[in-house]
Amino acid sequence: MQVFKFGGASVKDAAGVINLAAIVRQYANGPLLIVVSAMGKTTNALEALSNAYINQADDVHELFQQVKDAHYRIAHELFGEQHPVMDELENTFVEIDWMLEDEPHDDPDFIYDQLVSIGELLSTRIVNAYLNEAGIKSSWLDVRSYIHTDNTYREGVVDWDKTCTVIQQDIPAFSQQNIVVTQGFLGGTSENFTTTLGREGSDYTASIFASCLQAEAVTIWKDVPGVLNADPKLFADTVKFDELSYNEAIEMTYYGATVIHPKTIKPLLDKQIPLLVKSFAYPQEMGTRVHDVKQVHYQKPVIIVKNNQVLLSVTAKNHSFISEQHLSTLTGLFAAQRIKINVLQISALTISVCFDDSPRFKILLQQLQADFSTRYNEQLQLITLRHYQQDTLSQLISGKAVLLEQLSRSTAQVVVK
Ligand code: ASP
Ligand code: MG
């Protein structure tokens, strides 16, 4: 069994879908399961729609119309005016039309998941129809009956036992007949509501299927040649890694490398399933192989930049030394708001915490008032360097105001303005 994941960039238009089919044709003897994301920037557009609907803004219908038009345009390009897939798209749209007519449910995260999830439902309908049109037998699978999660909307927690049981029951036989096309990013609750697994979560979906099915490999098809040492949009002279260890990939994604979703690697490591990151534009090139490799020589350091960071410093109200009790209160409040800490530093009187800005930060700030005095800076950048040399670090931060620095033998982290 092979598992492929095609991200939004690979299916952003009709040409992308045609290219996907050309890649898949090479593996059409199967068994093959394909996980697909929403087309292009659809998830962002649906996020905007969801916010507009929650706030009962005027442009709700206009925003939804744009999503509809974009999908019909691609479908018409691929299939002409008449094709059964048009009804499938229409049915998906109608359900949302009904929802938008009603008063918003009081949990915004619940609304988000019911709405934003249609991006993947639509893209997979189109991809599946096109594969069949191109003579590649495939069938559409509703992932919400397979990836079972709790009801933490926007960040569904996977019930691995239940998920693997149904996947192992159905998929092997199913994939003997056909290539299987399914949605990334989505899950389903025991009450049959839709959940999502967190932005860019389709990689994780692929990894879950691969793990449950003990697949030979997972291939993520991307708009870059593989895993690079830095984001080519930010740095010139990037180098591609031919191979990486599971641990290095886990570290890189933990520090914010967006090339692979952070939750993807661990299940593959546990089952020793290799992960290939390859270019959908140059599918014959080898890309990067993440597997069980001991020694990798790092010609250049890995550079990871995270924007939109907050650096918060807290001191105890009574000016007492920072104790384990303070730390526990503080991290408890972070956990309750689901804000993940990127860097933490403690001195005698201060705890400094760096994290991604989010609307929940302001709630956290209020809750901290009881025990702590607070100061913070927003709009900062967190730069992480792995396998760094002092000169690259100095170059990177020259001319910038460094607000916090943390160094270990392998990793340097600096928060800069
Ligand atoms: N479509 C979702 C997103 O853009 C999931 C994914 O692409 O992996 O976040
Ligand atoms: Mg995406």
Side-chain angles (χ1 to χ4, degrees):
M1 170 70 79
Q2 295 281 341
V3 176
F4 284 179
K5 181 259 175 170
F6 286 93
S10 70
V11 289
K12 70 177 194 309
D13 50 23
V17 177
I18 294 168
N19 182 58
L20 176 153
I23 293 174
V24 168
R25 193 183 294 285
Q26 310 293 319
Y27 298 84
N29 290 338
L32 172 64
L33 182 132
I34 306 173
V35 171
V36 185
S37 301
M39 299 179 128
K41 300 272 178 242
T42 303
T43 306
N44 291 354
L46 290 168
E47 241 177 50
L49 170 63
S50 155
N51 287 333
Y53 169 60
I54 290 163
N55 298 317
Q56 293 288 287
D58 293 335
D59 54 353
V60 169
H61 291 283
E62 191 183 319
L63 289 171
F64 192 30
Q65 194 57 45
Q66 286 166 8
V67 172
K68 291 182 185 175
D69 290 347
H71 286 87
Y72 280 129
R73 199 161 44 238
I74 294 173
H76 286 148
E77 247 185 83
L78 292 169
F79 307 106
E81 290 306 307
Q82 303 270 319
H83 191 281
V85 76
M86 303 303 168
D87 294 333
E88 294 171 356
L89 302 184
E90 179 69 27
N91 291 340
T92 310
F93 291 136
V94 163
E95 278 190 43
I96 299 301
D97 276 325
W98 287 339
M99 179 173 161
L100 298 178
E101 290 307 318
D102 281 343
E103 290 276 298
H105 183 282
D106 49 11
D107 177 4
D109 293 340
F110 173 82
I111 297 177
Y112 178 100
D113 281 1
Q114 310 320 303
L115 240 160
V116 166
S117 53
I118 68 163
E120 272 70 13
L121 298 173
L122 297 165
S123 67
T124 49
R125 288 291 187 194
I126 293 175
V127 165
N128 181 58
Y130 186 76
L131 287 175
N132 284 297
E133 197 70 21
I136 303 165
K137 262 182 75 188
S138 80
S139 49
W140 186 88
L141 186 91
D142 191 332
V143 82
R144 296 169 297 180
S145 310
Y146 290 88
I147 306 276
H148 290 278
T149 72
D150 68 359
N151 56 6
T152 315
Y153 295 103
R154 285 188 85 147
E155 217 174 333
V157 177
V158 174
D159 179 336
W160 275 84
D161 282 344
K162 211 168 157 189
T163 297
C164 275
T165 304
V166 282
I167 287 177
Q168 286 163 0
Q169 240 163 40
D170 289 4
I171 305 295
F174 209 41
S175 62
Q176 286 308 318
Q177 325 281 321
N178 286 302
I179 287 174
V180 179
V181 175
T182 198
Q183 305 79 42
F185 181 50
L186 314 186
T189 68
S190 50
E191 293 99 41
N192 285 323
F193 288 114
T194 306
T195 51
T196 61
L197 306 178
R199 284 303 305 263
E200 305 300 328
S202 299
D203 295 348
Y204 183 38
T205 308
S207 156
I208 297 168
F209 274 104
S211 166
C212 297
L213 294 166
Q214 189 65 56
E216 274 159 61
V218 173
T219 307
I220 300 184
W221 297 93
K222 297 215 55 119
D223 55 357
V224 285
V227 180
L228 307 178
N229 75 306
D231 183 346
K233 291 188 205 96
L234 303 178
F235 295 92
D237 308 325
T238 52
V239 291
K240 184 200 69 139
F241 296 113
D242 292 338
E243 53 179 356
L244 284 174
S245 68
Y246 291 111
N247 283 349
E248 184 60 36
I250 289 174
E251 296 279 0
M252 284 174 72
T253 58
Y254 170 80
Y255 288 118
T258 54
V259 61
I260 309 164
H261 187 275
K263 289 183 178 164
T264 311
I265 312 287
K266 177 68 169 49
L268 302 179
L269 161 69
D270 290 344
K271 297 279 178 79
Q272 294 289 301
I273 299 168
L275 171 72
L276 311 175
V277 179
K278 285 170 64 110
S279 158
F280 59 73
Y282 304 98
Q284 64 292 343
E285 294 193 357
M286 73 179 230
T288 299
R289 187 181 183 86
V290 178
H291 65 143
D292 194 12
V293 53
K294 294 285 172 289
Q295 275 289 319
V296 173
H297 170 66
Y298 297 95
Q299 248 179 293
K300 287 193 167 188
V302 176
I303 311 172
I304 302 150
V305 178
K306 278 191 124 194
N307 290 321
N308 210 12
Q309 299 293 298
V310 180
L311 182 62
L312 169 72
S313 301
V314 308
T315 48
K317 274 248 160 95
N318 54 8
H319 302 287
S320 60
F321 286 142
I322 295 299
S323 67
E324 284 67 24
Q325 191 51 52
H326 290 126
L327 260 179
S328 145
T329 307
L330 183 88
T331 50
L333 291 171
F334 269 83
Q337 289 305 325
R338 292 201 255 146
I339 301 179
K340 288 170 191 100
I341 295 173
N342 295 330
V343 188
L344 179 77
Q345 208 165 62
I346 310 164
S347 73
L349 298 174
T350 313
I351 311 174
S352 303
V353 197
C354 176
F355 51 90
D356 298 3
D357 202 357
S358 88
R360 293 198 171 99
F361 166 45
K362 296 288 145 70
I363 305 171
L364 174 77
L365 213 48
Q366 278 168 5
Q367 295 174 340
L368 287 166
Q369 304 305 330
D371 298 303
F372 301 100
S373 310
T374 57
R375 280 181 303 130
Y376 62 90
N377 288 79
E378 291 173 294
Q379 296 290 322
L380 304 176
Q381 210 174 44
L382 169 62
I383 305 175
T384 303
L385 273 141
R386 304 231 342 124
H387 320 288
Y388 69 101
Q389 282 111 21
Q390 194 53 50
D391 57 327
T392 3
L393 178 58
S394 312
Q395 255 175 38
L396 264 177
I397 59 181
S398 93
K400 291 180 174 145
V402 175
L403 278 66
L404 183 145
E405 185 176 61
Q406 213 168 70
L407 305 179
S408 74
R409 247 170 302 171
S410 62
T411 308
Q413 292 201 283
V414 281
V415 179
V416 296
K417 214 190 217 136

